[in-house]
């Protein structure tokens, strides 16, 4: 009887500690926010009086370890909203566009361990005329950002913050370069 | 009660062990990417590549029947058709092992990506660098030929 009680106490302690670990983990981790990836305000060279359709490939919500990355939907939404808010193109449309902006997330390099989290993101940008295969501009842009240990105590969150910032820089550079194009 | 505790720890241990064997391979061809038949590859070395992974990848390409070389960008032969870039990530579990290998085939002039590939293997599913390189390359060639 005494032994049973001892096992029950041990079991309760182990279970409590595990619950605490899970709960503390649940309270902290952040998710990628589209708003944080939006470059505002955008300093454009000029605006284009045309319609554009934005698409993205290569992205994913999370890597196999569960670390948030950037999904195609998040990238399209952020770029689309950035274009609308900055008036870079007069219209963002789902079809019958004057130009197509194709984005491809080539690589997101995130740390597995460490103190300061540096994330690098490479996005391949392509501008095509309408629905044709005629490419008028193409560039693969790599940007990076670092979140320091003192900015957030959880590595997971530092990776999320650095991923958002690196993506924001990438979008800013891509849209600024597009604004300089002679369409 | 004792049985329940033992079962609990067995399940817990199983949870940890299964987490040690994540395997994932990904490859994709970028829209409009064109690579000539029997291309000449050049694998770009990374600064501080102590493990000489560029050479490992280049050797695998040669073993697959392609002409390939590796080194710094300034050493790239002018007749290179495809520039290969990569990033290797390592982790420690009883010994250092390659946990992730990313690779890209690029236009040698503009460095615009053509095909991308990745292999991720955690501790219990680990493979040697040449095997990882072969796995990524095989996936990339398959994806290129499929589309």
């Amino acid at each position: 009887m005494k032994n049973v009680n001892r096992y029950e106490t041990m079991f309760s302690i182990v279970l409590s500690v595990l619950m605490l670990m899970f709960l503390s983990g649940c309270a902290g981790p952040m998710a990628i926010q589209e708003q944080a990836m939006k470059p505002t305000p955008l300093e454009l060279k000029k605006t284009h009086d045309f319609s554009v359709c934005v698409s993205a490939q290569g992205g994913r919500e999370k890597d196999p370890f569960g670390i948030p990355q950037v999904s195609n939907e998040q990238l399209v939404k952020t770029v689309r909203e950035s274009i609308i808010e900055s008036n870079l193109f007069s219209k963002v449309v789902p079809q019958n566009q004057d130009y197509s902006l194709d984005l491809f997330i080539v690589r997101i390099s995130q740390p597995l361990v460490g103190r300061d989290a540096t994330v690098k993101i490479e996005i391949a940008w392509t501008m095509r005329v309408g629905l044709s295969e005629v490419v008028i501009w193409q560039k693969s842009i790599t940007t990076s950002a670092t979140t320091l240990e003192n900015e957030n105590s959880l590595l997971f969150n530092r990776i999320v913050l650095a991923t958002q910032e690196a993506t924001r820089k990438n979008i800013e550079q891509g849209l600024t370069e597009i604004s300089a194009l002679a369409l | 009660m004792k049985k329940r505790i033992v079962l609990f720890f067995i399940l817990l241990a199983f949870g940890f062990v299964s987490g040690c064997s994540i395997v994932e391979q990904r490859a994709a061809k970028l829209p409009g990417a064109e690579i000539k038949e029997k291309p000449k590859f050049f694998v770009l070395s990374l600064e501080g590549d102590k493990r000489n992974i560029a050479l490992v990848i280049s050797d695998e390409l040669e073993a697959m029947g392609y002409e390939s070389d590796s080194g710094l960008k300034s050493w790239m032969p002018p007749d290179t058709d495809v520039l290969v870039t990569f990033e290797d990530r390592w982790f420690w579990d009883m010994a250092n092992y390659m946990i992730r290998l990313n690779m890209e085939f690029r236009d040698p002039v503009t460095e615009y990506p053509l095909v991308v590939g990745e292999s991720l293997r955690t501790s219990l599913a680990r493979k040697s660098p040449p095997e990882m390189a072969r796995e990524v390359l095989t996936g990339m060639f398959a994806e290129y030929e499929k589309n």
Side-chain angles (χ1 to χ4, degrees):
Chain A
M1 191 65 190
K2 208 175 174 184
N3 262 351
V4 171
N5 280 341
R6 210 176 63 199
Y7 282 127
E8 270 180 2
T9 312
M10 267 175 60
F11 187 68
S12 303
I13 291 169
V14 170
L15 207 62
S16 304
V17 169
L18 280 170
M19 286 292 284
L20 195 70
M21 278 167 67
F22 281 125
L23 287 177
S24 65
C26 288
M30 301 167 74
I32 296 280
Q33 304 289 325
E34 285 128 29
Q35 194 60 32
M37 299 192 290
K38 207 188 288 176
T40 46
L42 260 177
E43 283 183 27
L44 304 177
K45 305 268 190 283
K46 58 179 186 258
T47 57
H48 303 300
D49 195 18
F50 298 104
S51 64
V52 68
C53 174
V54 184
S55 68
Q57 289 181 59
R60 59 180 169 184
E61 245 175 70
K62 284 174 182 179
D63 79 353
F65 299 118
I67 296 171
Q69 296 204 327
V70 182
S71 71
N72 297 330
E73 294 74 24
Q74 284 175 317
L75 185 61
V76 167
K77 195 174 171 214
T78 312
V79 171
R80 197 192 289 146
E81 284 176 9
S82 302
I83 291 173
I84 292 168
E85 285 169 22
S86 64
N87 293 313
L88 174 58
F89 284 87
S90 56
K91 261 193 287 183
V92 181
V93 292
Q95 56 193 12
N96 300 323
Q97 65 270 32
D98 297 318
Y99 290 95
S100 299
L101 175 57
D102 306 327
L103 305 167
F104 193 103
I105 300 175
V106 178
R107 192 202 290 176
I108 301 182
S109 303
Q110 296 166 312
L112 297 169
V113 288
R115 291 176 165 226
D116 299 341
T118 296
V119 173
K120 259 200 316 188
I121 181 166
E122 179 178 358
I123 303 176
W125 295 67
T126 298
M127 281 284 293
R128 288 181 293 118
V129 177
L131 285 167
S132 74
E133 297 299 312
V134 180
V135 174
I136 53 163
W137 176 76
Q138 205 168 50
K139 190 170 183 178
S140 202
I141 298 172
T142 303
T143 44
S144 70
T146 302
T147 305
L148 305 175
E149 198 182 10
N150 59 16
E151 290 177 64
N152 199 297
S153 57
L154 283 179
L155 174 65
F156 186 93
N157 289 352
R158 292 198 291 278
I159 294 172
V160 170
L161 290 169
T163 304
Q164 288 175 166
E165 180 59 9
T167 311
R168 191 195 64 75
K169 285 181 182 174
N170 206 297
I171 294 171
E172 183 171 28
Q173 195 180 325
L175 295 182
T176 306
E177 293 204 21
I178 289 171
S179 77
L181 298 175
L183 300 180
Chain B
M1 187 65 193
K2 197 175 173 183
K3 273 185 186 170
R4 276 168 61 191
I5 292 170
V6 171
L7 184 69
F8 174 76
F9 280 106
I10 288 172
L11 286 173
L12 196 68
F14 182 73
F16 283 121
V17 169
S18 63
C20 291
S21 62
I22 298 171
V23 176
E24 191 195 55
Q25 273 99 41
R26 298 206 309 164
K29 178 191 170 194
L30 273 80
E34 293 285 340
I35 298 175
K36 71 177 248 190
E37 236 177 87
K38 282 281 163 192
K40 282 185 184 175
F41 289 90
F42 183 81
V43 187
L44 188 65
S45 294
L46 291 175
E47 262 181 57
D49 179 14
K50 289 179 217 156
R51 298 180 175 98
N52 231 341
I53 302 300
L55 186 64
V56 170
I57 296 169
S58 186
D59 285 349
E60 284 306 311
L61 280 163
E62 283 185 333
M64 291 168 93
Y66 296 98
E67 214 175 303
S68 180
D69 209 341
S70 67
L72 301 171
K73 187 80 189 280
S74 53
W75 303 350
M76 185 171 79
D79 60 346
T80 299
D81 299 306
V82 177
L83 176 70
V84 183
T85 55
F86 70 94
E87 183 185 70
D88 54 323
R89 288 295 178 100
W90 294 71
F91 209 71
W92 193 90
D93 183 10
M94 308 304 280
N96 255 332
Y97 70 97
M98 188 188 270
I99 188 166
R100 178 181 267 156
L101 181 64
N102 288 79
M103 233 187 273
E104 296 87 28
F105 290 165
R106 296 176 188 270
D107 179 291
V109 179
T110 64
E111 294 195 13
Y112 194 82
L114 306 167
V115 187
V116 298
E118 179 187 57
S119 176
L120 183 145
R121 288 183 166 273
T122 51
S123 187
L124 287 184
R126 69 178 78 177
K127 280 191 170 182
S128 67
E131 287 171 315
M132 290 280 277
R134 176 63 75 106
E135 196 166 64
V136 181
L137 289 168
T138 305
M140 290 169 80
F141 283 120
E143 194 60 32
Y144 179 75
E145 277 151 25
K146 196 169 81 184
N147 295 299

